């Protein structure tokens, strides 16, 4: 292992490194300049930003001060630093790290391939603005309109990665047929949403399949929704980051990265992929259902 590498979950280390790198770039500091001001070696900055080493909250506070980070972000990153030594990582939105510090987005942006199964709702990367707004409003009673707008905008902004010019990720999605019948926001909103999914299914890097009711019992019934993320290879021909499984819950999200855990979810997805309707047939199901909802 390189000097400074720690055992345990790499997810919080990777995310903390990305946030600190972004803050350094926003402060227009080179690695050399940052190292000089922190009185650290350039190699140490590189290890931190690459997620190869854990950090003390005290060190994060110093870096944030030099980079000019706001107080709320500094506090959140200090909380994240406490998780970098964890062997298994349960990220609780209501505990140390606030919900607005969306760690999953960083993983999603860095991934080269995503396998996604969703049983109840349309995944965020496929949602229309109206569908997103209905979900966020229902999930956040009492939140003012400005905050709702901000959260909707953030989710819409995520979708640009599907069509970005530089290496957009390969996205394979299995949707349970239930989603085609759950009228989130009402029939009109659902119809537009299904048409949107059908449109995205024409992208060369996206394949969406529907798991029909007729498939009966399948692996997704017991697994629940999840995303498997794989990352680009580095100069040695090996993945730059280990594959990670993301499982979202009511109060937090579970990040799994042990080989046997990832392997089980990959096997489940592979069996569902074989059982689901093919791409063209799935697109037809989406369009037919959308038309049936039109007045």
């Amino acid at each position: 292992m390189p000097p400074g590498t720690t055992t345990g979950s790499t997810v919080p280390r990777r995310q903390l490194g990305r946030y600190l790198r972004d803050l350094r770039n926003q402060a227009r500091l080179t690695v050399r300049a940052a190292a000089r001001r922190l009185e650290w070696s350039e190699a140490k900055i590189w290890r931190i930003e690459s997620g190869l080493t854990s950090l003390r909250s005290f060190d994060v506070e110093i870096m944030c001060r030099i980079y000019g980070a706001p107080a709320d972000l500094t506090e959140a990153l200090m909380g994240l630093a406490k998780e970098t030594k964890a062997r298994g990582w349960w990220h609780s939105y209501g505990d140390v790290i606030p919900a607005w510090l969306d760690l999953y987005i960083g993983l999603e942006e860095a991934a080269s391939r995503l396998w996604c199964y969703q049983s109840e709702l349309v995944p965020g990367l496929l949602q229309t603005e109206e569908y997103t707004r209905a979900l966020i409003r229902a999930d956040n009673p009492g939140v003012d309109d400005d905050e709702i707008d901000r959260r909707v905008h953030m989710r819409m902004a995520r979708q640009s990665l599907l069509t970005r010019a530089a290496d957009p990720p390969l996205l394979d999605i299995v949707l349970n047929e239930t989603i085609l019948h759950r009228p989130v926001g009402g029939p009109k909103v659902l119809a537009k949403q299904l048409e949107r999914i059908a449109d995205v299914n024409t992208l060369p890097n996206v394949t969406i399949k529907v798991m029909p009711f007729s498939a009966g019992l399948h692996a997704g019934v017991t697994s629940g929704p999840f995303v498997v993320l794989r990352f680009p290879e580095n100069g040695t021909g090996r993945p730059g980051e280990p594959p990670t499984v993301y499982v979202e819950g009511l109060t937090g999200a579970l990040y799994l990265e042990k080989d046997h855990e990832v392997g089980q979810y990959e096997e489940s997805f592979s069996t569902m992929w074989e059982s689901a309707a093919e791409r063209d047939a799935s697109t037809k199901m989406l369009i037919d259902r959308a038309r049936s909802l039109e007045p």
Side-chain angles (χ1 to χ4, degrees):
M1 287 187 180
T5 300
T6 59
T7 59
S9 174
T10 68
V11 172
R13 296 203 307 271
R14 284 183 273 161
Q15 297 307 293
L16 181 58
R18 287 193 182 99
Y19 277 107
L20 291 172
R21 181 188 60 217
D22 288 346
L23 284 171
R24 177 179 59 76
N25 288 332
Q26 289 169 18
R28 298 189 177 182
L29 289 172
T30 63
V31 171
R32 176 173 295 181
R36 186 182 304 117
R37 295 184 64 174
L38 289 162
E39 296 183 357
W40 294 346
S41 68
E42 293 180 38
K44 181 174 181 177
I45 301 290
W46 178 82
R47 290 197 303 270
I48 290 169
E49 294 185 358
S50 300
L52 293 177
T53 183
S54 59
L55 273 178
R56 298 177 301 170
S57 296
F58 175 74
D59 291 331
V60 171
E61 183 180 20
I62 293 174
M63 294 179 77
C64 286
R65 189 188 316 141
I66 287 176
Y67 296 163
D72 57 347
L73 181 56
T74 298
E75 183 179 357
L77 295 184
M78 289 173 65
L80 182 56
K82 295 176 182 177
E83 303 295 339
T84 62
K85 299 177 182 179
R87 292 187 176 275
W89 196 51
W90 178 267
H91 167 53
S92 176
Y93 290 112
D95 188 14
V96 180
I97 304 166
W100 54 262
L101 191 68
D102 197 332
L103 307 183
Y104 174 74
I105 291 178
L107 289 177
E108 191 177 70
E109 286 286 336
S112 58
R113 181 155 203 164
L114 299 97
W115 286 359
C116 173
Y117 169 66
Q118 182 54 258
S119 61
E120 304 297 329
L121 299 169
V122 174
L125 288 176
L126 305 179
Q127 290 174 11
T128 63
E129 182 174 337
E130 293 79 9
Y131 190 97
T132 296
R133 189 174 301 279
L135 282 179
I136 292 177
R137 191 173 294 282
D139 200 36
N140 297 274
V143 174
D144 62 53
D145 289 343
D146 287 343
E147 178 62 17
I148 296 292
D149 289 342
R150 191 184 74 84
R151 298 187 188 188
V152 170
H153 177 73
M154 179 180 293
R155 190 166 300 180
M156 294 298 100
R158 282 170 53 195
Q159 297 178 3
S160 63
L161 77 90
L162 294 181
T163 54
R164 70 188 181 197
D167 299 321
L170 298 176
L171 178 62
D172 294 334
I173 298 179
V174 175
L175 301 177
N176 191 10
E177 189 177 351
T178 300
I179 294 170
L180 280 62
H181 298 271
R182 190 178 303 284
V184 173
K188 185 176 180 180
V189 170
L190 178 58
K192 294 294 183 184
Q193 175 61 77
L194 298 180
E195 291 172 355
R196 159 72 176 164
I197 298 172
D199 287 342
V200 174
N201 211 11
T202 63
L203 294 175
N205 56 312
V206 178
T207 303
I208 301 166
K209 292 185 174 185
V210 175
M211 180 67 75
F213 293 135
S214 59
L217 185 64
H218 58 84
V221 174
T222 53
S223 72
F226 63 89
V227 182
V228 179
L229 303 102
R230 286 192 165 273
F231 301 93
E233 294 181 350
N234 56 26
T236 66
R238 303 182 64 181
E241 301 183 22
T244 301
V245 176
Y246 174 80
V247 184
E248 189 169 317
L250 183 62
T251 59
L254 187 62
Y255 294 84
L256 306 171
E257 52 187 3
K258 294 179 181 178
D259 289 344
H260 73 275
E261 294 171 334
V262 174
Q264 287 183 343
Y265 278 93
E266 288 183 329
E267 183 178 353
S268 293
F269 186 85
S270 294
T271 61
M272 285 189 282
W273 193 251
E274 294 299 320
S275 300
E278 291 300 320
R279 185 182 195 176
D280 290 346
S282 295
T283 296
K284 186 177 186 304
M285 290 176 68
L286 291 162
I287 293 174
D288 288 348
R289 175 59 181 159
R291 289 174 177 169
S292 74
L293 293 166
E294 295 174 356

